[in-house]
Amino acid sequence: MASIYVHIPFCERKCPYCDFYSVEDTGLVEEFLAALQGEISLREHYADRAVIETVFFGGGTPSLLAPRQLDAVLSSLRATFAITPDAEVTLEANPGTVTGETLRAFRSSGINRLSIGIQSFHDHELSFLGRIHDTLQGFRAVEVARAAGFDNISIDLICSLPGQTLAHWEENLRTAVTLAPHHVAAYSLTVADRTPLARMVRAGEVSVIPTDLAAAMYERAMELLGAHGYEHYEVSNYALPGFRCRHNCNYWSHEDYLGFGPSAHSFWKERDATSGRRWWNVADLSTYQDRLRGGSLAVASEEHVGTREMVNERIFLGLRSSGLDLTRLIVDLDYDLAARQADRVRWLIQERLAGLDGGILRLTSKGYLLCDEICRRLLP
């Protein structure tokens, strides 16, 4: 099985913390879509290599597309690739860009999962984040999504904002569970290089919150969402039973994926599955369109992913999600972590940072707090 990611690089307004590639000139949408159709056609030789079980429209703000435009992209993908009838098809949506009418049209086109970027239920936090919606629009987006027929709704929340209190974060979580989404992505704010937020931090205009407070917010999310029936199946992701994001699970399971659009990444394993190739498109809309107009792909660069790198990635991806399958690691990549890292695995279990069940090494809630450090210690 494989996945497809489509990057829609348009935003009504760029958020100061976001380092994903996007532009604010929505007048370029039709020209971009023509280039995107060309890229899809140029990748048709992958159609006979795998069945596609998930499609994800990210960005940017994909919900800025008109329903007819999104429908045309989906039709092109279906005509080119073998997409399963029950494929998970996700659209990221900004609450300030959707209406009941557009959501009903998206649902009719085949979008069956909606990821709504609410981020906060406090207007002052939304203002700091540069969001184009307010709290009421966040509530309304979930309501109209349900009315439009969506029965798989995810919402995004961000914590660790400068000046944010634990009480405010808990209010966001409690408000979220009252809306009963099927999935919650609860992220800590990252100060990414070359963003307006990073410049504000360097200038002393805002201060990053203390590490212990950030940890307390993370723990509170685990406790509160867990108490309301959400499975903590990845460092920042929680789902009601049966509603894990299949697309992201494919990433974390080291499955193949094709990325379309400027800045989109792709990964495809070699036939023996012990190595692979990763490539990524140019992060520039003009260059992307120029190359595809000329009949060429818009790849910026690529890299070979050898067996050692595959092992490293499998360990990192497995531990930060629902667990590392030690048997599969041996079968696929001939690496016996339990034998080679016996002392460290034993220590993780003794310290209750991880558990071993049926050959799956899985981090505990305590272990998730130290996920990056644990992964670094276990890498070959």
Side-chain angles (χ1 to χ4, degrees), residues 43 173 213:
R43 292 294 186 192
L173 293 168
L213 177 55

Side-chain angles (χ1 to χ4, degrees), residues 87-259:
E88 176 191 89
V89 185
T90 301
L91 178 75
E92 288 185 339
N94 186 305
T97 64
V98 294
T99 65
E101 181 181 1
T102 58
L103 287 178
R104 284 191 296 273
F106 288 146
R107 186 70 187 89
S108 296
S109 293
I111 302 296
N112 54 32
R113 183 176 184 273
L114 203 63
S115 178
I116 305 174
I118 288 179
Q119 315 307 1
S120 174
F121 292 102
H122 292 96
D123 283 341
H124 71 282
E125 292 178 348
L126 292 171
S127 177
F128 170 79
L129 292 169
R131 306 297 290 174
I132 63 172
H133 71 279
D134 59 24
T135 298
L136 289 178
Q137 287 174 303
F139 280 110
R140 182 63 178 158
V142 177
E143 292 173 359
V144 296
R146 280 208 172 86
F150 283 95
D151 55 8
N152 192 348
I153 299 171
S154 176
I155 66 172
D156 287 2
L157 297 175
I158 298 181
C159 67
S160 303
L161 308 182
Q164 187 179 46
T165 65
L166 183 59
H168 274 158
W169 173 235
E170 184 168 328
E171 286 175 17
N172 281 334
L173 293 168
R174 291 192 179 281
T175 302
V177 297
T178 64
L179 293 175
H182 306 86
H183 185 281
V184 177
Y187 299 96
S188 293
L189 180 69
T190 300
V191 181
D193 291 339
R194 297 185 297 278
T195 61
L197 176 60
R199 291 192 288 273
M200 293 164 66
V201 171
R202 286 194 298 269
E205 297 171 13
V206 298
S207 299
V208 177
I209 69 169
T211 303
D212 58 346
L213 177 55
M217 290 181 178
Y218 185 67
E219 290 179 303
R220 194 68 193 106
M222 288 190 285
E223 293 165 0
L224 195 150
L225 292 173
H228 285 82
Y230 290 88
E231 301 170 338
H232 190 190
Y233 73 104
E234 194 270 344
V235 168
S236 302
N237 286 271
Y238 306 78
L240 294 177
F243 288 95
R244 296 184 180 190
C245 177
R246 288 163 53 193
H247 184 84
N248 285 343
C249 285
N250 273 6
Y251 285 163
W252 302 326
S253 298
H254 237 175
E255 301 297 341
D256 298 324
Y257 56 89
L258 292 174

Side-chain angles (χ1 to χ4, degrees), residues 306-359:
T307 302
R308 181 184 178 87
E309 289 78 15
M310 292 277 285
V311 170
N312 289 348
E313 291 180 10
R314 186 72 64 84
I315 292 171
F316 179 77
L317 293 170
L319 289 179
R320 71 174 286 113
S321 56
S322 55
L324 175 62
D325 189 330
L326 300 183
T327 302
R328 185 184 170 197
L329 192 61
I330 296 171
V331 173
D332 291 353
L333 300 170
D334 193 28
Y335 187 82
D336 190 343
L337 182 138
R340 298 192 185 204
Q341 305 271 19
D343 289 343
R344 287 179 177 171
V345 170
R346 189 179 305 110
W347 178 81
L348 288 173
I349 294 171
Q350 288 174 346
E351 295 297 318
R352 297 184 180 178
L353 296 171
L356 187 58
D357 181 22

